[in-house]
Amino acid sequence: HKGLERHRLESLAEYYNLEITNRHRAMGDAVACAQVFCRMVITLQEMGIETFQELQNYEKTGALPVLGG
């Protein structure tokens, strides 16, 4: 997320209001990572970003895809 100063797992979980249990344990970190990823996918879909190419373009230019385009 461009608005975050840091992109660590803790920062992303806090941004998405997720609780991390068993931090620094394989399963705890994997579950937290999956939850963050799912929230990020939802956020991207809400922004109209549906492909990796659209995400890369957004990262480079800041331009969102044209709906229906």
Side-chain angles (χ1 to χ4, degrees), residues 1-62:
H1 189 277
K2 289 185 177 186
L4 291 176
E5 193 171 308
R6 295 185 175 165
H7 295 92
R8 300 179 334 200
L9 183 57
E10 291 90 355
S11 301
L12 291 166
E14 183 178 320
Y15 176 80
Y16 287 110
N17 198 29
L18 300 169
E19 182 180 339
I20 302 176
T21 56
N22 296 319
R23 182 71 177 113
H24 299 296
R25 293 289 195 221
M27 185 58 76
D29 286 356
V31 168
C33 208
Q35 290 174 329
V36 166
F37 177 77
C38 289
R39 293 287 180 95
M40 291 174 80
V41 168
I42 291 168
T43 299
L44 291 170
Q45 288 174 334
E46 290 172 349
M47 295 170 66
I49 297 172
E50 296 180 354
T51 67
F52 187 68
Q53 184 176 358
E54 290 172 344
L55 176 59
Q56 287 181 309
N57 185 54
Y58 174 69
E59 285 296 315
K60 288 180 186 174
T61 68

